Amino acid sequence: MTIRSLLVANRGEIAVRIVKAAKALGIRTVQVHSAADADMLAVRLADEAVDIGPPAAKKSYLNIEAVIAAARAAGVDAVHPGYGFLSENADFADAVEAAGLIFIGPKGDAIRLLGDKVAAREVAARAGVPTVPGSAGRVSSIDEARDGVAQAGFPIMIKAAAGGGGRGIRIAADMADLDRHFPQASSEALAAFGDGGLYLEKVIGKARHVEVQILGDGKNFIHCFERECSLQRRRQKVWEEAPSFLLPADVREKLCASAVALAREVKYSGAGTVEYLYDEDSREFYFIEVNTRIQVEHPVTEMVTGIDLVQEMIRVAGGAPLSVRQEDVALRGHAIECRINAEDPARGFMPAPGTVRRLVVPEGEGIRFDTMLYEGYTIPPFYDSLLGKLVVWAETRDACLDRLRSALRGLVIDGVATTVPLHLALAADDSVRRGDFHTRFLEGWLDEVFARQAQPKAEVA
Ligand code: ADP
Ligand code: ADP
Ligand code: MG
């Protein structure tokens, strides 16, 4: 069935992105919003808008009944969940189908299976994808945890089976740490994710976070190469690139093939991301998880492959086969994305909502700014602090970094503190230019380099 209308069950910059993709496909758009979001940009751009409840996400964007009722009332064919919120909620995907509508994403069963990070490790192993050494399955007691350590050794990571967004992860350096952290981690996971299940993974030191974009239609499975997302704070990505520039060609080939094998194993449908840690010294990569949705950093892949991932996931959900064949997916040039958050990096990344007094968006070849902002917009304090993503493309990584610096200087967001100064400093950093970084790099750099540079503000640019 062709999708003629869809409901956008999300907010912020990704809602804008989905509305624009749907419009390009000639699809009518209905945008949901909470009471705090009546004036958000996606509401202004969509054909229709529906108020689904109070500001608290639990009562609006996470309220399955309210979202389904809005979809029914608006008479749409399909629902796009974006990222975060209900995007990886298998019950939601099932409820959308049960209401006779199309869920734009994988089947509920695939979300359920891959969303359990322990079950996903088993799927990966079945598909021949190397996983991080660790516990065989869930560890439900401290004794089982001790057994898990025997497999992997210290330091070890205690991870929540249902975790996400960088939360639900702890490191234990020795047995005493493990004894102390284990019960706490379990009760925290239960409170945060409704599932106290834990598993253990060896800590891969100085690793890079490399992830592969996959697309499937249930019969054909392809990859759109990889992204490098090692610049992280609190295990959340801050800056992403495509491709992963230091990856040897033979490793890239194996890595991407392993992601396709995993997609085939579950007959994947839609867009997804297979995440890995890559150890440059041993040239080994290890599966960590699958995200069964569009990802925040998808634009860098779009810039280097020319594929519109959001349009493709809508087409596939409507029953069309993939519009691209593997042999047609080629890499061209280099792309970098900076996440622009309403946070003040000079004040410990304190959230800084406010009103945008003036907005100047840089323009030019290879520059894209995916955003929820407009002049006069007041950022509500209830949600994620992501305001937009500055994405820059050029033929080479060096040229991309140069273009990024000028684009960042040209981006003016007056009225709110943002992470732009952080990105300017990163774009000017020698280690970043050499590509000499890993997943723990940014936190150390923030303490040493950025703290020094942040003092006299003029030095940052
Ligand atoms: P990406 O690689 O797309 O950035 P993230 O893991 O950062 O993926 O998640 C994107 C969004 O979804 C963020 O807003 C994050 O906080 C949220 N998120 C992801 N997983 C979960 C989860 N299990 N529970 C709550 N929020 C989540
Ligand atoms: P989430 O579901 O919250 O995104 P992930 O399992 O994807 O959790 O891990 C998030 C980040 O935590 C990774 O990008 C990496 O920086 C770090 N990490 C996760 N597992 C390991 C590990 N075994 N060793 C070292 N770092 C890890
Ligand atoms: Mg992850």
Side-chain angles (χ1 to χ4, degrees):
M1 165 196 174
T2 318
I3 296 171
R4 280 158 307 170
S5 55
L6 67 78
L7 184 93
V8 184
N10 213 297
R11 65 177 305 281
E13 67 84 23
I14 195 64
V16 174
R17 170 80 184 89
I18 297 163
V19 167
K20 287 183 175 171
K23 288 201 167 190
L25 293 170
I27 294 171
R28 180 172 73 98
T29 51
V30 181
Q31 177 64 53
V32 305
H33 66 86
S34 74
D37 273 342
D39 60 352
M40 73 181 180
L41 184 56
V43 164
R44 297 184 168 200
L45 296 175
D47 297 306
E48 277 173 53
V50 189
D51 185 329
I52 50 162
K58 271 205 168 134
K59 298 192 168 159
S60 49
Y61 300 107
L62 288 170
N63 181 341
I64 294 181
E65 282 92 69
V67 174
I68 303 261
R72 277 213 162 109
V76 295
D77 301 325
V79 176
H80 197 307
Y83 55 68
F85 295 124
L86 295 171
S87 63
E88 291 179 282
N89 184 316
D91 295 339
F92 177 63
D94 287 345
V96 170
E97 280 214 343
L101 309 172
I102 295 170
F103 178 79
I104 301 175
K107 295 279 167 237
D109 287 345
I111 298 175
R112 202 167 277 117
L113 179 65
L114 297 173
D116 178 334
K117 295 169 86 173
V118 175
R121 271 165 66 86
E122 285 157 14
V123 173
R126 273 209 304 281
V129 181
T131 55
V132 183
S135 56
R138 288 186 179 221
V139 282
S140 44
S141 67
I142 189 74
D143 289 333
E144 277 180 38
R146 286 166 173 262
D147 287 348
V149 171
Q151 304 290 314
F154 286 112
I156 200 146
M157 248 181 197
I158 309 170
K159 300 175 77 171
R167 294 177 310 139
I169 295 178
R170 278 162 188 253
I171 294 178
D174 51 34
M175 274 307 174
D177 258 8
L178 186 69
D179 288 348
R180 197 170 60 244
H181 287 321
F182 191 82
Q184 282 175 8
S186 182
S187 49
E188 268 178 29
L190 185 64
F193 312 112
D195 175 356
L198 300 176
Y199 66 110
L200 304 177
E201 268 181 13
K202 179 185 162 75
V203 172
I204 310 289
K206 298 225 169 165
R208 285 176 182 272
H209 176 115
V210 179
E211 57 182 37
V212 178
Q213 176 70 51
I214 54 167
L215 284 172
D217 60 15
K219 293 198 181 78
N220 307 290
F221 314 96
I222 65 170
H223 69 80
C224 303
F225 293 101
E226 81 287 351
R227 296 183 283 261
E228 145 68 54
C229 315
S230 302
L231 292 176
Q232 304 180 352
R233 182 174 166 269
R234 296 190 171 167
R235 301 191 181 94
Q236 286 180 340
K237 299 157 190 162
V238 167
W239 157 309
E240 301 101 338
E241 311 193 18
S244 176
F245 42 96
L246 293 175
L247 207 61
D250 59 321
V251 176
R252 167 172 298 130
E253 204 172 303
K254 269 195 239 158
L255 179 84
C256 293
S258 84
V260 172
L262 198 155
R264 185 171 293 117
E265 179 72 29
V266 296
K267 299 195 170 53
Y268 199 82
S269 180
T273 297
V274 186
E275 296 190 333
Y276 300 84
L277 293 173
Y278 174 59
D279 176 352
E280 264 178 302
D281 295 337
S282 67
R283 296 167 41 118
E284 301 284 347
F285 55 82
Y286 306 92
F287 166 88
I288 47 173
E289 68 158 342
V290 183
N291 291 323
T292 56
R293 52 169 164 86
I294 192 71
Q295 207 132 347
V296 174
E297 58 274 21
H298 75 277
V300 288
T301 297
E302 297 186 325
M303 297 289 257
V304 294
T305 62
I307 296 168
D308 189 307
L309 294 167
V310 179
Q311 287 188 28
E312 192 64 13
M313 70 194 291
I314 296 172
R315 275 195 292 265
V316 165
L322 286 180
S323 73
V324 264
R325 292 172 308 173
Q326 188 67 72
E327 54 268 37
D328 299 330
V329 185
L331 280 178
R332 185 174 162 218
H334 193 87
I336 300 177
E337 168 181 286
C338 296
R339 295 195 189 199
I340 312 297
N341 291 343
E343 292 168 3
D344 190 345
R347 288 191 181 72
F349 292 84
M350 199 150 63
T355 298
V356 179
R357 298 290 168 207
R358 185 163 159 254
L359 177 67
V360 182
V361 175
E363 279 171 30
E365 199 206 334
I367 300 176
R368 163 175 169 180
F369 187 49
D370 281 23
T371 189
M372 68 192 297
L373 299 180
Y374 57 84
E375 276 184 11
Y377 177 62
T378 298
I379 299 149
F382 309 102
Y383 313 104
D384 196 279
S385 62
L386 185 70
L387 300 176
K389 304 165 324 198
L390 182 63
V391 191
V392 170
W393 177 93
E395 287 288 351
T396 64
R397 185 170 184 268
D398 269 337
C400 188
L401 279 164
D402 292 342
R403 188 174 276 173
L404 177 64
R405 290 179 74 178
S406 82
L408 280 164
R409 286 194 205 104
L411 176 62
V412 180
I413 306 171
D414 279 349
V416 279
T418 73
T419 49
V420 167
L422 164 72
H423 289 299
L424 271 167
L426 277 173
D429 186 82
D430 285 340
S431 298
V432 173
R433 191 166 280 262
R434 285 196 308 273
D436 183 12
F437 52 78
H438 51 82
T439 54
R440 308 268 293 281
F441 169 88
L442 180 57
E443 294 196 338
W445 180 92
L446 280 167
D447 290 342
E448 292 165 30
V449 183
F450 188 69
R452 218 170 39 235
Q453 293 189 354
Q455 293 303 329
K457 217 177 167 209
E459 266 180 44
V460 174

mmCIF file of all heavy atoms in Angstrom, residues 117-158:
data_model
loop_
_atom_site.group_PDB
_atom_site.id
_atom_site.type_symbol
_atom_site.label_atom_id
_atom_site.label_comp_id
_atom_site.label_asym_id
_atom_site.label_seq_id
_atom_site.Cartn_x
_atom_site.Cartn_y
_atom_site.Cartn_z
ATOM 1 N N LYS A 117 19.369 -5.901 24.653
ATOM 2 C CA LYS A 117 20.763 -5.913 24.211
ATOM 3 C C LYS A 117 21.433 -7.258 24.413
ATOM 4 O O LYS A 117 22.408 -7.582 23.726
ATOM 5 C CB LYS A 117 21.535 -4.781 24.911
ATOM 6 C CG LYS A 117 21.006 -3.401 24.476
ATOM 7 C CD LYS A 117 21.551 -2.280 25.318
ATOM 8 C CE LYS A 117 22.894 -1.793 24.811
ATOM 9 N NZ LYS A 117 23.329 -0.585 25.558
ATOM 10 N N VAL A 118 20.896 -8.071 25.334
ATOM 11 C CA VAL A 118 21.446 -9.416 25.543
ATOM 12 C C VAL A 118 21.004 -10.333 24.403
ATOM 13 O O VAL A 118 21.810 -11.060 23.810
ATOM 14 C CB VAL A 118 21.010 -9.980 26.913
ATOM 15 C CG1 VAL A 118 21.472 -11.418 27.071
ATOM 16 C CG2 VAL A 118 21.564 -9.111 28.037
ATOM 17 N N ALA A 119 19.712 -10.263 24.060
ATOM 18 C CA ALA A 119 19.202 -11.068 22.939
ATOM 19 C C ALA A 119 19.890 -10.640 21.646
ATOM 20 O O ALA A 119 20.218 -11.486 20.799
ATOM 21 C CB ALA A 119 17.689 -10.895 22.819
ATOM 22 N N ALA A 120 20.146 -9.346 21.499
ATOM 23 C CA ALA A 120 20.803 -8.844 20.284
ATOM 24 C C ALA A 120 22.220 -9.403 20.156
ATOM 25 O O ALA A 120 22.683 -9.706 19.060
ATOM 26 C CB ALA A 120 20.822 -7.318 20.287
ATOM 27 N N ARG A 121 22.908 -9.546 21.302
ATOM 28 C CA ARG A 121 24.249 -10.153 21.279
ATOM 29 C C ARG A 121 24.171 -11.583 20.747
ATOM 30 O O ARG A 121 25.047 -12.028 19.995
ATOM 31 C CB ARG A 121 24.836 -10.190 22.706
ATOM 32 C CG ARG A 121 25.617 -8.950 23.104
ATOM 33 C CD ARG A 121 25.836 -8.893 24.607
ATOM 34 N NE ARG A 121 26.704 -9.947 25.153
ATOM 35 C CZ ARG A 121 28.029 -9.880 25.205
ATOM 36 N NH1 ARG A 121 28.652 -8.828 24.720
ATOM 37 N NH2 ARG A 121 28.744 -10.850 25.744
ATOM 38 N N GLU A 122 23.096 -12.275 21.122
ATOM 39 C CA GLU A 122 22.932 -13.656 20.654
ATOM 40 C C GLU A 122 22.638 -13.693 19.148
ATOM 41 O O GLU A 122 23.166 -14.553 18.429
ATOM 42 C CB GLU A 122 21.829 -14.367 21.458
ATOM 43 C CG GLU A 122 22.321 -14.735 22.860
ATOM 44 C CD GLU A 122 21.208 -14.928 23.882
ATOM 45 O OE1 GLU A 122 20.037 -15.034 23.489
ATOM 46 O OE2 GLU A 122 21.542 -14.953 25.085
ATOM 47 N N VAL A 123 21.807 -12.763 18.697
ATOM 48 C CA VAL A 123 21.522 -12.678 17.253
ATOM 49 C C VAL A 123 22.827 -12.410 16.495
ATOM 50 O O VAL A 123 23.114 -13.043 15.474
ATOM 51 C CB VAL A 123 20.504 -11.553 16.949
ATOM 52 C CG1 VAL A 123 20.350 -11.350 15.446
ATOM 53 C CG2 VAL A 123 19.150 -11.863 17.580
ATOM 54 N N ALA A 124 23.623 -11.481 17.025
ATOM 55 C CA ALA A 124 24.892 -11.135 16.370
ATOM 56 C C ALA A 124 25.786 -12.366 16.289
ATOM 57 O O ALA A 124 26.355 -12.670 15.230
ATOM 58 C CB ALA A 124 25.590 -10.015 17.137
ATOM 59 N N ALA A 125 25.877 -13.086 17.399
ATOM 60 C CA ALA A 125 26.729 -14.277 17.418
ATOM 61 C C ALA A 125 26.244 -15.293 16.380
ATOM 62 O O ALA A 125 27.054 -15.882 15.653
ATOM 63 C CB ALA A 125 26.730 -14.885 18.823
ATOM 64 N N ARG A 126 24.916 -15.473 16.287
ATOM 65 C CA ARG A 126 24.359 -16.407 15.291
ATOM 66 C C ARG A 126 24.705 -15.986 13.868
ATOM 67 O O ARG A 126 24.911 -16.824 13.000
ATOM 68 C CB ARG A 126 22.828 -16.457 15.414
ATOM 69 C CG ARG A 126 22.293 -17.446 16.415
ATOM 70 C CD ARG A 126 20.901 -17.950 16.020
ATOM 71 N NE ARG A 126 19.912 -16.905 15.820
ATOM 72 C CZ ARG A 126 19.258 -16.256 16.791
ATOM 73 N NH1 ARG A 126 19.507 -16.552 18.059
ATOM 74 N NH2 ARG A 126 18.366 -15.336 16.513
ATOM 75 N N ALA A 127 24.762 -14.670 13.654
ATOM 76 C CA ALA A 127 25.059 -14.163 12.313
ATOM 77 C C ALA A 127 26.566 -14.121 12.050
ATOM 78 O O ALA A 127 27.007 -13.628 11.012
ATOM 79 C CB ALA A 127 24.444 -12.775 12.139
ATOM 80 N N GLY A 128 27.347 -14.596 13.029
ATOM 81 C CA GLY A 128 28.803 -14.614 12.850
ATOM 82 C C GLY A 128 29.464 -13.271 13.096
ATOM 83 O O GLY A 128 30.586 -13.030 12.658
ATOM 84 N N VAL A 129 28.777 -12.379 13.808
ATOM 85 C CA VAL A 129 29.331 -11.055 14.109
ATOM 86 C C VAL A 129 30.044 -11.118 15.458
ATOM 87 O O VAL A 129 29.441 -11.548 16.435
ATOM 88 C CB VAL A 129 28.204 -10.000 14.169
ATOM 89 C CG1 VAL A 129 28.768 -8.614 14.452
ATOM 90 C CG2 VAL A 129 27.384 -10.006 12.882
ATOM 91 N N PRO A 130 31.308 -10.702 15.538
ATOM 92 C CA PRO A 130 32.012 -10.756 16.820
ATOM 93 C C PRO A 130 31.392 -9.809 17.858
ATOM 94 O O PRO A 130 31.085 -8.659 17.542
ATOM 95 C CB PRO A 130 33.441 -10.317 16.483
ATOM 96 C CG PRO A 130 33.428 -9.812 15.088
ATOM 97 C CD PRO A 130 32.156 -10.209 14.426
ATOM 98 N N THR A 131 31.170 -10.314 19.075
ATOM 99 C CA THR A 131 30.614 -9.482 20.147
ATOM 100 C C THR A 131 31.702 -9.212 21.181
ATOM 101 O O THR A 131 32.742 -9.885 21.187
ATOM 102 C CB THR A 131 29.433 -10.195 20.834
ATOM 103 O OG1 THR A 131 29.890 -11.479 21.292
ATOM 104 C CG2 THR A 131 28.275 -10.408 19.865
ATOM 105 N N VAL A 132 31.475 -8.245 22.062
ATOM 106 C CA VAL A 132 32.438 -7.957 23.127
ATOM 107 C C VAL A 132 32.440 -9.144 24.093
ATOM 108 O O VAL A 132 31.367 -9.595 24.508
ATOM 109 C CB VAL A 132 32.049 -6.678 23.903
ATOM 110 C CG1 VAL A 132 33.105 -6.347 24.956
ATOM 111 C CG2 VAL A 132 31.856 -5.496 22.962
ATOM 112 N N PRO A 133 33.625 -9.654 24.470
ATOM 113 C CA PRO A 133 33.645 -10.735 25.454
ATOM 114 C C PRO A 133 32.907 -10.294 26.720
ATOM 115 O O PRO A 133 33.011 -9.145 27.139
ATOM 116 C CB PRO A 133 35.142 -10.918 25.749
ATOM 117 C CG PRO A 133 35.843 -10.350 24.557
ATOM 118 C CD PRO A 133 34.966 -9.268 24.018
ATOM 119 N N GLY A 134 32.120 -11.213 27.300
ATOM 120 C CA GLY A 134 31.361 -10.846 28.493
ATOM 121 C C GLY A 134 30.512 -11.998 28.959
ATOM 122 O O GLY A 134 30.787 -13.150 28.629
ATOM 123 N N SER A 135 29.443 -11.662 29.687
ATOM 124 C CA SER A 135 28.601 -12.719 30.231
ATOM 125 C C SER A 135 27.854 -13.412 29.094
ATOM 126 O O SER A 135 27.568 -12.809 28.063
ATOM 127 C CB SER A 135 27.614 -12.137 31.243
ATOM 128 O OG SER A 135 26.851 -11.105 30.665
ATOM 129 N N ALA A 136 27.523 -14.702 29.327
ATOM 130 C CA ALA A 136 26.872 -15.490 28.281
ATOM 131 C C ALA A 136 25.468 -14.970 28.018
ATOM 132 O O ALA A 136 24.979 -14.973 26.893
ATOM 133 C CB ALA A 136 26.831 -16.952 28.682
ATOM 134 N N GLY A 137 24.791 -14.513 29.050
ATOM 135 C CA GLY A 137 23.445 -13.973 28.884
ATOM 136 C C GLY A 137 23.228 -12.936 29.959
ATOM 137 O O GLY A 137 24.171 -12.251 30.363
ATOM 138 N N ARG A 138 22.001 -12.829 30.437
ATOM 139 C CA ARG A 138 21.735 -11.927 31.558
ATOM 140 C C ARG A 138 22.386 -12.479 32.818
ATOM 141 O O ARG A 138 22.455 -13.694 32.996
ATOM 142 C CB ARG A 138 20.231 -11.821 31.797
ATOM 143 C CG ARG A 138 19.532 -11.039 30.721
ATOM 144 C CD ARG A 138 18.073 -10.834 31.074
ATOM 145 N NE ARG A 138 17.452 -10.054 30.003
ATOM 146 C CZ ARG A 138 16.583 -9.077 30.191
ATOM 147 N NH1 ARG A 138 16.185 -8.752 31.404
ATOM 148 N NH2 ARG A 138 16.096 -8.408 29.166
ATOM 149 N N VAL A 139 22.855 -11.608 33.680
ATOM 150 C CA VAL A 139 23.356 -12.046 34.978
ATOM 151 C C VAL A 139 22.361 -11.595 36.030
ATOM 152 O O VAL A 139 22.088 -10.403 36.169
ATOM 153 C CB VAL A 139 24.766 -11.495 35.286
ATOM 154 C CG1 VAL A 139 25.809 -12.278 34.529
ATOM 155 C CG2 VAL A 139 24.892 -10.032 34.919
ATOM 156 N N SER A 140 21.769 -12.562 36.736
ATOM 157 C CA SER A 140 20.688 -12.170 37.635
ATOM 158 C C SER A 140 21.106 -12.161 39.092
ATOM 159 O O SER A 140 20.330 -11.775 39.957
ATOM 160 C CB SER A 140 19.469 -13.066 37.423
ATOM 161 O OG SER A 140 19.879 -14.398 37.320
ATOM 162 N N SER A 141 22.335 -12.558 39.391
ATOM 163 C CA SER A 141 22.785 -12.497 40.778
ATOM 164 C C SER A 141 24.264 -12.135 40.806
ATOM 165 O O SER A 141 24.954 -12.235 39.791
ATOM 166 C CB SER A 141 22.602 -13.865 41.447
ATOM 167 O OG SER A 141 23.496 -14.793 40.841
ATOM 168 N N ILE A 142 24.713 -11.757 41.963
ATOM 169 C CA ILE A 142 26.116 -11.368 42.098
ATOM 170 C C ILE A 142 27.035 -12.574 41.838
ATOM 171 O O ILE A 142 28.127 -12.425 41.285
ATOM 172 C CB ILE A 142 26.371 -10.700 43.478
ATOM 173 C CG1 ILE A 142 27.768 -10.088 43.531
ATOM 174 C CG2 ILE A 142 26.144 -11.650 44.629
ATOM 175 C CD1 ILE A 142 27.908 -8.826 42.733
ATOM 176 N N ASP A 143 26.545 -13.775 42.139
ATOM 177 C CA ASP A 143 27.361 -14.974 41.858
ATOM 178 C C ASP A 143 27.539 -15.176 40.359
ATOM 179 O O ASP A 143 28.629 -15.481 39.876
ATOM 180 C CB ASP A 143 26.722 -16.226 42.486
ATOM 181 C CG ASP A 143 26.858 -16.205 44.005
ATOM 182 O OD1 ASP A 143 27.823 -15.570 44.491
ATOM 183 O OD2 ASP A 143 25.998 -16.791 44.691
ATOM 184 N N GLU A 144 26.429 -14.970 39.621
ATOM 185 C CA GLU A 144 26.530 -15.074 38.162
ATOM 186 C C GLU A 144 27.445 -13.986 37.612
ATOM 187 O O GLU A 144 28.163 -14.211 36.642
ATOM 188 C CB GLU A 144 25.137 -14.926 37.528
ATOM 189 C CG GLU A 144 24.345 -16.221 37.519
ATOM 190 C CD GLU A 144 22.964 -16.032 36.876
ATOM 191 O OE1 GLU A 144 22.856 -15.280 35.892
ATOM 192 O OE2 GLU A 144 22.021 -16.639 37.384
ATOM 193 N N ALA A 145 27.400 -12.826 38.249
ATOM 194 C CA ALA A 145 28.259 -11.726 37.802
ATOM 195 C C ALA A 145 29.726 -12.111 37.984
ATOM 196 O O ALA A 145 30.558 -11.878 37.114
ATOM 197 C CB ALA A 145 27.934 -10.448 38.573
ATOM 198 N N ARG A 146 30.026 -12.749 39.131
ATOM 199 C CA ARG A 146 31.403 -13.188 39.373
ATOM 200 C C ARG A 146 31.852 -14.194 38.316
ATOM 201 O O ARG A 146 32.997 -14.162 37.865
ATOM 202 C CB ARG A 146 31.527 -13.789 40.774
ATOM 203 C CG ARG A 146 31.490 -12.719 41.864
ATOM 204 C CD ARG A 146 31.274 -13.339 43.236
ATOM 205 N NE ARG A 146 31.395 -12.329 44.287
ATOM 206 C CZ ARG A 146 32.500 -12.123 44.997
ATOM 207 N NH1 ARG A 146 33.561 -12.870 44.781
ATOM 208 N NH2 ARG A 146 32.539 -11.183 45.911
ATOM 209 N N ASP A 147 30.916 -15.060 37.902
ATOM 210 C CA ASP A 147 31.229 -16.012 36.827
ATOM 211 C C ASP A 147 31.511 -15.276 35.519
ATOM 212 O O ASP A 147 32.424 -15.635 34.773
ATOM 213 C CB ASP A 147 30.052 -16.978 36.581
ATOM 214 C CG ASP A 147 29.926 -17.992 37.702
ATOM 215 O OD1 ASP A 147 30.869 -18.081 38.519
ATOM 216 O OD2 ASP A 147 28.886 -18.682 37.752
ATOM 217 N N GLY A 148 30.699 -14.249 35.255
ATOM 218 C CA GLY A 148 30.859 -13.450 34.036
ATOM 219 C C GLY A 148 32.247 -12.827 33.970
ATOM 220 O O GLY A 148 32.876 -12.775 32.918
ATOM 221 N N VAL A 149 32.729 -12.370 35.126
ATOM 222 C CA VAL A 149 34.045 -11.749 35.182
ATOM 223 C C VAL A 149 35.126 -12.770 34.850
ATOM 224 O O VAL A 149 36.124 -12.452 34.190
ATOM 225 C CB VAL A 149 34.290 -11.137 36.581
ATOM 226 C CG1 VAL A 149 35.731 -10.692 36.708
ATOM 227 C CG2 VAL A 149 33.354 -9.964 36.802
ATOM 228 N N ALA A 150 34.890 -14.012 35.258
ATOM 229 C CA ALA A 150 35.865 -15.059 34.968
ATOM 230 C C ALA A 150 36.067 -15.178 33.451
ATOM 231 O O ALA A 150 37.162 -15.470 32.976
ATOM 232 C CB ALA A 150 35.393 -16.389 35.561
ATOM 233 N N GLN A 151 35.000 -14.904 32.673
ATOM 234 C CA GLN A 151 35.094 -14.976 31.210
ATOM 235 C C GLN A 151 35.876 -13.788 30.633
ATOM 236 O O GLN A 151 36.606 -13.948 29.664
ATOM 237 C CB GLN A 151 33.686 -14.922 30.568
ATOM 238 C CG GLN A 151 32.717 -15.965 31.046
ATOM 239 C CD GLN A 151 33.112 -17.340 30.560
ATOM 240 O OE1 GLN A 151 33.428 -17.509 29.396
ATOM 241 N NE2 GLN A 151 33.128 -18.302 31.471
ATOM 242 N N ALA A 152 35.670 -12.617 31.208
ATOM 243 C CA ALA A 152 36.134 -11.400 30.539
ATOM 244 C C ALA A 152 37.262 -10.669 31.272
ATOM 245 O O ALA A 152 38.089 -10.025 30.639
ATOM 246 C CB ALA A 152 34.956 -10.446 30.340
ATOM 247 N N GLY A 153 37.318 -10.777 32.584
ATOM 248 C CA GLY A 153 38.340 -10.073 33.365
ATOM 249 C C GLY A 153 37.978 -8.621 33.639
ATOM 250 O O GLY A 153 37.047 -8.084 33.049
ATOM 251 N N PHE A 154 38.735 -7.972 34.529
ATOM 252 C CA PHE A 154 38.514 -6.565 34.873
ATOM 253 C C PHE A 154 39.368 -5.669 33.995
ATOM 254 O O PHE A 154 40.409 -6.132 33.519
ATOM 255 C CB PHE A 154 38.857 -6.335 36.348
ATOM 256 C CG PHE A 154 37.826 -6.882 37.289
ATOM 257 C CD1 PHE A 154 38.120 -7.972 38.106
ATOM 258 C CD2 PHE A 154 36.571 -6.317 37.358
ATOM 259 C CE1 PHE A 154 37.165 -8.477 38.975
ATOM 260 C CE2 PHE A 154 35.612 -6.814 38.231
ATOM 261 C CZ PHE A 154 35.923 -7.897 39.049
ATOM 262 N N PRO A 155 39.032 -4.394 33.810
ATOM 263 C CA PRO A 155 37.776 -3.767 34.228
ATOM 264 C C PRO A 155 36.605 -4.266 33.382
ATOM 265 O O PRO A 155 36.781 -4.602 32.223
ATOM 266 C CB PRO A 155 38.028 -2.279 33.988
ATOM 267 C CG PRO A 155 39.050 -2.231 32.905
ATOM 268 C CD PRO A 155 39.899 -3.460 33.078
ATOM 269 N N ILE A 156 35.427 -4.267 34.013
ATOM 270 C CA ILE A 156 34.267 -4.795 33.316
ATOM 271 C C ILE A 156 33.124 -3.776 33.342
ATOM 272 O O ILE A 156 33.041 -2.964 34.271
ATOM 273 C CB ILE A 156 33.855 -6.146 33.943
ATOM 274 C CG1 ILE A 156 32.990 -6.932 32.958
ATOM 275 C CG2 ILE A 156 33.134 -5.958 35.273
ATOM 276 C CD1 ILE A 156 33.193 -8.407 33.055
ATOM 277 N N MET A 157 32.312 -3.828 32.312
ATOM 278 C CA MET A 157 31.170 -2.924 32.250
ATOM 279 C C MET A 157 29.913 -3.662 32.642
ATOM 280 O O MET A 157 29.659 -4.763 32.157
ATOM 281 C CB MET A 157 30.985 -2.413 30.828
ATOM 282 C CG MET A 157 31.288 -0.958 30.721
ATOM 283 S SD MET A 157 31.051 -0.361 29.057
ATOM 284 C CE MET A 157 31.964 1.160 29.230
ATOM 285 N N ILE A 158 29.123 -3.037 33.534
ATOM 286 C CA ILE A 158 27.817 -3.579 33.891
ATOM 287 C C ILE A 158 26.826 -2.780 33.063
ATOM 288 O O ILE A 158 26.761 -1.551 33.172
ATOM 289 C CB ILE A 158 27.527 -3.370 35.392
ATOM 290 C CG1 ILE A 158 28.701 -3.890 36.242
ATOM 291 C CG2 ILE A 158 26.217 -4.028 35.790
ATOM 292 C CD1 ILE A 158 28.611 -3.496 37.713
#
